[in-house]
Amino acid sequence: MSGPRMQDFHRIEVRTDRASGLKAVFALHNLTLGPAAGGVRRWHYDSEDDAVTDAMRLAEGMTCKNALAGLPFGGGKSVILSDGKPVTRAQLRAFGRWLDQLGGEYVAAEDVGMTVEHMKEVRRETTFVTGIGAHPGPKTAHGVFVGIEAALEGKVTGTRIAVQGLGAVGMALVELLHAAGAQLVVADLDEAKVQRATALGAERAGTEEVLLSDVDVLAPCALGAVITPETARHLRAKVVAGSANNQLSEPLAGHILHQRGIRYAPDYAVNAGGIIHAGYEYLGWSGAMAQIDGIGPRLTAIFAESKATGEPTHVIADRMAHAAVAARRSHDAAPAAAVA
């Protein structure tokens, strides 16, 4: 996926509420498939420009994620700029009012720095919130697990897997991998979370050191851009498959992984379990788990095409996602063309 361009976006807004001290960015990328859907991230940024760039990258990724998952949603993301203090009720309610003013163009769920309880407070001001029936983290973890199974061709038992980041998704993934008989290496800045994982027999590593662990699979489950070209040149893992968004710092990193024979599960293909769960909840559909299980076959198809064509998996996934959007655009335009 290339870097985001302003002209490709349906809407980019920076809003400030002086009364509560809230500042947030809304980035709605492409609404061809339906209203934008994506999480609300609360994070500290060095500048407003950094927050806008992050929101844009995440929103563009959501367009691809939703398209590849077969969801009737476009891509969107919002980020709340954190001042290091706990988010207040007044800020959450103000965010909800802003969300409501978008009139359904954007459907929001929780993301890094936010909780389901936070989103329930946002929900008091708008109906355009989802993922509050149950935490989506375990659903994302399940999707990553079946993605790892696909990458390993079903051979999880006895494999050595490193998990970077033990948040709601990373810890749930650790539990699934432990139950499947994997040997684990874990890393997180929160010592309590590391201790919880080591109680399951996992080895501990530093948050940077873990990336170069001698393992079969590396699962980045924290923040993005951890696979730089330099890291890609020195990885010892045979597979990269995790829940973090935008794992590749730039496309070159994906090309290096491919050249070295490291199987990369494109992040927005493997981490779609949470948005599938939240999307089905919003639409009132049943069958979300079956769709999440479909992550495995979708990745298998990507790996097969990569082997057949010699193209990197991230290039193939981008093409598949863009094709889904283009097909919908052509379908919508067809009646008008026929009348003309």
Side-chain angles (χ1 to χ4, degrees), residues 218-255:
L218 170 64
C221 295
L223 296 178
V226 294
I227 308 298
T228 65
E230 184 66 14
T231 301
R233 292 186 183 99
H234 294 93
L235 278 184
R236 302 167 78 182
K238 303 177 183 69
V239 170
V240 176
S243 67
N245 290 311
N246 299 327
Q247 291 168 32
L248 303 179
S249 67
E250 57 182 285
L252 176 60
H255 287 281

Short mmCIF file of all heavy atoms in Angstrom, two decimals, residues 218-255:
data_model
loop_
_atom_site.label_atom_id
_atom_site.label_comp_id
_atom_site.label_asym_id
_atom_site.label_seq_id
_atom_site.Cartn_x
_atom_site.Cartn_y
_atom_site.Cartn_z
N LEU A 218 6.84 -14.46 13.65
CA LEU A 218 6.82 -13.21 14.39
C LEU A 218 5.43 -12.61 14.26
O LEU A 218 4.95 -12.40 13.15
CB LEU A 218 7.86 -12.24 13.83
CG LEU A 218 7.78 -10.80 14.37
CD1 LEU A 218 8.07 -10.75 15.86
CD2 LEU A 218 8.73 -9.88 13.61
N ALA A 219 4.79 -12.33 15.40
CA ALA A 219 3.45 -11.74 15.41
C ALA A 219 3.51 -10.35 16.03
O ALA A 219 3.42 -10.20 17.25
CB ALA A 219 2.48 -12.63 16.19
N PRO A 220 3.65 -9.29 15.21
CA PRO A 220 3.61 -7.93 15.75
C PRO A 220 2.18 -7.57 16.15
O PRO A 220 1.28 -7.56 15.30
CB PRO A 220 4.08 -7.06 14.57
CG PRO A 220 4.70 -8.01 13.59
CD PRO A 220 3.94 -9.29 13.77
N CYS A 221 1.96 -7.30 17.42
CA CYS A 221 0.62 -7.02 17.91
C CYS A 221 0.58 -5.72 18.71
O CYS A 221 -0.30 -5.54 19.57
CB CYS A 221 0.11 -8.18 18.77
SG CYS A 221 -0.12 -9.72 17.86
N ALA A 222 1.52 -4.82 18.45
CA ALA A 222 1.52 -3.52 19.11
C ALA A 222 1.24 -2.45 18.06
O ALA A 222 0.28 -2.56 17.30
CB ALA A 222 2.85 -3.30 19.82
N LEU A 223 2.09 -1.45 17.96
CA LEU A 223 1.89 -0.39 16.98
C LEU A 223 2.56 -0.76 15.66
O LEU A 223 3.30 -1.74 15.56
CB LEU A 223 2.41 0.94 17.52
CG LEU A 223 1.66 1.46 18.75
CD1 LEU A 223 2.29 2.76 19.22
CD2 LEU A 223 0.18 1.66 18.46
N GLY A 224 2.32 0.07 14.63
CA GLY A 224 2.78 -0.25 13.29
C GLY A 224 4.20 0.18 13.00
O GLY A 224 4.93 0.65 13.87
N ALA A 225 4.59 -0.02 11.73
CA ALA A 225 5.89 0.38 11.19
C ALA A 225 7.07 -0.31 11.87
O ALA A 225 8.19 0.23 11.87
CB ALA A 225 6.05 1.90 11.25
N VAL A 226 6.84 -1.49 12.44
CA VAL A 226 7.94 -2.19 13.12
C VAL A 226 8.82 -2.97 12.15
O VAL A 226 9.97 -3.29 12.47
CB VAL A 226 7.41 -3.14 14.22
CG1 VAL A 226 6.76 -2.36 15.34
CG2 VAL A 226 6.46 -4.18 13.65
N ILE A 227 8.30 -3.28 10.96
CA ILE A 227 9.10 -4.00 9.97
C ILE A 227 9.68 -2.97 9.01
O ILE A 227 9.06 -2.60 8.01
CB ILE A 227 8.27 -5.06 9.21
CG1 ILE A 227 7.53 -5.98 10.19
CG2 ILE A 227 9.19 -5.88 8.30
CD1 ILE A 227 8.44 -6.78 11.11
N THR A 228 10.84 -2.48 9.35
CA THR A 228 11.57 -1.56 8.48
C THR A 228 12.41 -2.37 7.50
O THR A 228 12.61 -3.58 7.69
CB THR A 228 12.48 -0.66 9.32
OG1 THR A 228 13.50 -1.50 9.93
CG2 THR A 228 11.72 0.07 10.40
N PRO A 229 12.93 -1.74 6.45
CA PRO A 229 13.83 -2.49 5.56
C PRO A 229 15.00 -3.11 6.31
O PRO A 229 15.37 -4.26 6.04
CB PRO A 229 14.28 -1.41 4.57
CG PRO A 229 13.13 -0.47 4.49
CD PRO A 229 12.60 -0.41 5.90
N GLU A 230 15.56 -2.38 7.28
CA GLU A 230 16.69 -2.92 8.04
C GLU A 230 16.27 -4.13 8.86
O GLU A 230 16.97 -5.16 8.91
CB GLU A 230 17.25 -1.83 8.96
CG GLU A 230 18.49 -2.23 9.73
CD GLU A 230 19.70 -2.51 8.86
OE1 GLU A 230 19.69 -2.12 7.67
OE2 GLU A 230 20.67 -3.11 9.37
N THR A 231 15.12 -4.03 9.52
CA THR A 231 14.62 -5.17 10.29
C THR A 231 14.33 -6.35 9.38
O THR A 231 14.65 -7.50 9.71
CB THR A 231 13.34 -4.77 11.05
OG1 THR A 231 13.63 -3.68 11.93
CG2 THR A 231 12.80 -5.93 11.86
N ALA A 232 13.72 -6.08 8.23
CA ALA A 232 13.39 -7.15 7.28
C ALA A 232 14.64 -7.90 6.82
O ALA A 232 14.59 -9.11 6.59
CB ALA A 232 12.67 -6.57 6.07
N ARG A 233 15.74 -7.20 6.72
CA ARG A 233 17.00 -7.85 6.28
C ARG A 233 17.57 -8.78 7.34
O ARG A 233 18.37 -9.66 7.02
CB ARG A 233 18.03 -6.78 5.92
CG ARG A 233 17.70 -5.96 4.68
CD ARG A 233 18.84 -5.02 4.30
NE ARG A 233 18.46 -4.20 3.16
CZ ARG A 233 18.02 -2.94 3.25
NH1 ARG A 233 17.91 -2.37 4.45
NH2 ARG A 233 17.69 -2.27 2.17
N HIS A 234 17.17 -8.58 8.60
CA HIS A 234 17.78 -9.36 9.68
C HIS A 234 16.80 -10.27 10.42
O HIS A 234 17.20 -10.95 11.37
CB HIS A 234 18.45 -8.42 10.68
CG HIS A 234 19.63 -7.69 10.11
ND1 HIS A 234 19.52 -6.43 9.53
CD2 HIS A 234 20.93 -8.05 9.97
CE1 HIS A 234 20.71 -6.05 9.09
NE2 HIS A 234 21.58 -7.00 9.34
N LEU A 235 15.55 -10.28 10.01
CA LEU A 235 14.58 -11.17 10.67
C LEU A 235 15.03 -12.63 10.57
O LEU A 235 15.56 -13.07 9.55
CB LEU A 235 13.21 -11.05 10.00
CG LEU A 235 12.29 -9.89 10.40
CD1 LEU A 235 10.95 -10.04 9.69
CD2 LEU A 235 12.09 -9.83 11.89
N ARG A 236 14.77 -13.36 11.64
CA ARG A 236 15.08 -14.79 11.65
C ARG A 236 13.82 -15.64 11.50
O ARG A 236 13.90 -16.84 11.27
CB ARG A 236 15.81 -15.14 12.95
CG ARG A 236 17.10 -14.32 13.12
CD ARG A 236 17.64 -14.42 14.52
NE ARG A 236 18.33 -15.68 14.75
CZ ARG A 236 18.86 -16.02 15.92
NH1 ARG A 236 18.75 -15.19 16.96
NH2 ARG A 236 19.47 -17.18 16.06
N ALA A 237 12.66 -14.99 11.65
CA ALA A 237 11.39 -15.71 11.51
C ALA A 237 11.16 -16.10 10.06
O ALA A 237 11.63 -15.44 9.13
CB ALA A 237 10.24 -14.85 12.01
N LYS A 238 10.39 -17.16 9.86
CA LYS A 238 10.02 -17.61 8.52
C LYS A 238 8.68 -17.01 8.08
O LYS A 238 8.35 -17.00 6.90
CB LYS A 238 9.94 -19.13 8.48
CG LYS A 238 11.22 -19.86 8.90
CD LYS A 238 10.99 -21.36 8.90
CE LYS A 238 12.23 -22.09 9.39
NZ LYS A 238 12.49 -21.86 10.83
N VAL A 239 7.91 -16.54 9.07
CA VAL A 239 6.57 -16.00 8.82
C VAL A 239 6.39 -14.73 9.66
O VAL A 239 6.82 -14.69 10.82
CB VAL A 239 5.47 -17.02 9.20
CG1 VAL A 239 4.08 -16.38 9.18
CG2 VAL A 239 5.51 -18.23 8.29
N VAL A 240 5.75 -13.72 9.09
CA VAL A 240 5.33 -12.54 9.85
C VAL A 240 3.81 -12.46 9.73
O VAL A 240 3.26 -12.33 8.64
CB VAL A 240 5.96 -11.24 9.30
CG1 VAL A 240 5.41 -10.03 10.06
CG2 VAL A 240 7.48 -11.30 9.40
N ALA A 241 3.12 -12.57 10.87
CA ALA A 241 1.65 -12.54 10.87
C ALA A 241 1.19 -12.05 12.23
O ALA A 241 1.31 -12.77 13.23
CB ALA A 241 1.07 -13.93 10.60
N GLY A 242 0.69 -10.82 12.28
CA GLY A 242 0.26 -10.26 13.55
C GLY A 242 -0.89 -9.30 13.39
O GLY A 242 -1.36 -9.04 12.28
N SER A 243 -1.33 -8.73 14.50
CA SER A 243 -2.54 -7.89 14.50
C SER A 243 -2.27 -6.41 14.30
O SER A 243 -3.20 -5.65 14.06
CB SER A 243 -3.30 -8.08 15.81
OG SER A 243 -2.55 -7.56 16.91
N ALA A 244 -1.02 -5.96 14.41
CA ALA A 244 -0.73 -4.53 14.29
C ALA A 244 -1.10 -4.02 12.90
O ALA A 244 -0.93 -4.74 11.91
CB ALA A 244 0.73 -4.25 14.58
N ASN A 245 -1.58 -2.80 12.83
CA ASN A 245 -1.86 -2.16 11.54
C ASN A 245 -0.57 -1.58 10.98
O ASN A 245 0.31 -1.15 11.72
CB ASN A 245 -2.89 -1.05 11.70
CG ASN A 245 -4.27 -1.59 12.00
OD1 ASN A 245 -4.76 -2.50 11.34
ND2 ASN A 245 -4.92 -1.03 13.02
N ASN A 246 -0.49 -1.51 9.65
CA ASN A 246 0.64 -0.85 8.97
C ASN A 246 1.99 -1.37 9.49
O ASN A 246 2.87 -0.59 9.86
CB ASN A 246 0.56 0.66 9.14
CG ASN A 246 -0.70 1.25 8.55
OD1 ASN A 246 -1.21 0.75 7.55
ND2 ASN A 246 -1.21 2.30 9.16
N GLN A 247 2.16 -2.69 9.49
CA GLN A 247 3.38 -3.29 10.02
C GLN A 247 4.61 -2.92 9.20
O GLN A 247 5.71 -2.77 9.75
CB GLN A 247 3.22 -4.80 10.09
CG GLN A 247 2.22 -5.27 11.12
CD GLN A 247 1.87 -6.72 10.99
OE1 GLN A 247 2.70 -7.54 10.58
NE2 GLN A 247 0.64 -7.08 11.33
N LEU A 248 4.45 -2.79 7.88
CA LEU A 248 5.57 -2.43 7.03
C LEU A 248 5.78 -0.92 7.09
O LEU A 248 4.86 -0.15 6.80
CB LEU A 248 5.30 -2.85 5.59
CG LEU A 248 5.01 -4.34 5.34
CD1 LEU A 248 4.74 -4.58 3.85
CD2 LEU A 248 6.13 -5.22 5.84
N SER A 249 6.98 -0.48 7.43
CA SER A 249 7.24 0.96 7.49
C SER A 249 7.20 1.58 6.10
O SER A 249 6.90 2.76 5.95
CB SER A 249 8.60 1.23 8.14
OG SER A 249 9.66 0.76 7.32
N GLU A 250 7.47 0.79 5.08
CA GLU A 250 7.41 1.22 3.69
C GLU A 250 7.35 -0.03 2.82
O GLU A 250 7.71 -1.14 3.26
CB GLU A 250 8.62 2.07 3.32
CG GLU A 250 9.97 1.38 3.57
CD GLU A 250 11.13 2.29 3.24
OE1 GLU A 250 11.39 2.48 2.03
OE2 GLU A 250 11.78 2.81 4.18
N PRO A 251 6.87 0.08 1.57
CA PRO A 251 6.73 -1.10 0.71
C PRO A 251 8.03 -1.88 0.52
O PRO A 251 8.00 -3.11 0.37
CB PRO A 251 6.24 -0.51 -0.61
CG PRO A 251 5.51 0.74 -0.22
CD PRO A 251 6.29 1.29 0.94
N LEU A 252 9.17 -1.19 0.53
CA LEU A 252 10.45 -1.88 0.36
C LEU A 252 10.63 -3.00 1.37
O LEU A 252 11.19 -4.06 1.04
CB LEU A 252 11.60 -0.86 0.49
CG LEU A 252 13.03 -1.44 0.43
CD1 LEU A 252 13.28 -2.16 -0.89
CD2 LEU A 252 14.05 -0.33 0.67
N ALA A 253 10.16 -2.79 2.60
CA ALA A 253 10.29 -3.83 3.62
C ALA A 253 9.57 -5.11 3.19
O ALA A 253 10.09 -6.22 3.41
CB ALA A 253 9.74 -3.33 4.96
N GLY A 254 8.41 -4.98 2.57
CA GLY A 254 7.68 -6.14 2.08
C GLY A 254 8.42 -6.85 0.97
O GLY A 254 8.43 -8.09 0.89
N HIS A 255 9.05 -6.08 0.10
CA HIS A 255 9.83 -6.67 -0.99
C HIS A 255 11.04 -7.44 -0.45
O HIS A 255 11.38 -8.51 -0.96
CB HIS A 255 10.28 -5.59 -1.97
CG HIS A 255 9.17 -5.06 -2.82
ND1 HIS A 255 8.69 -5.72 -3.93
CD2 HIS A 255 8.43 -3.93 -2.72
CE1 HIS A 255 7.72 -5.03 -4.48
NE2 HIS A 255 7.53 -3.93 -3.76
#
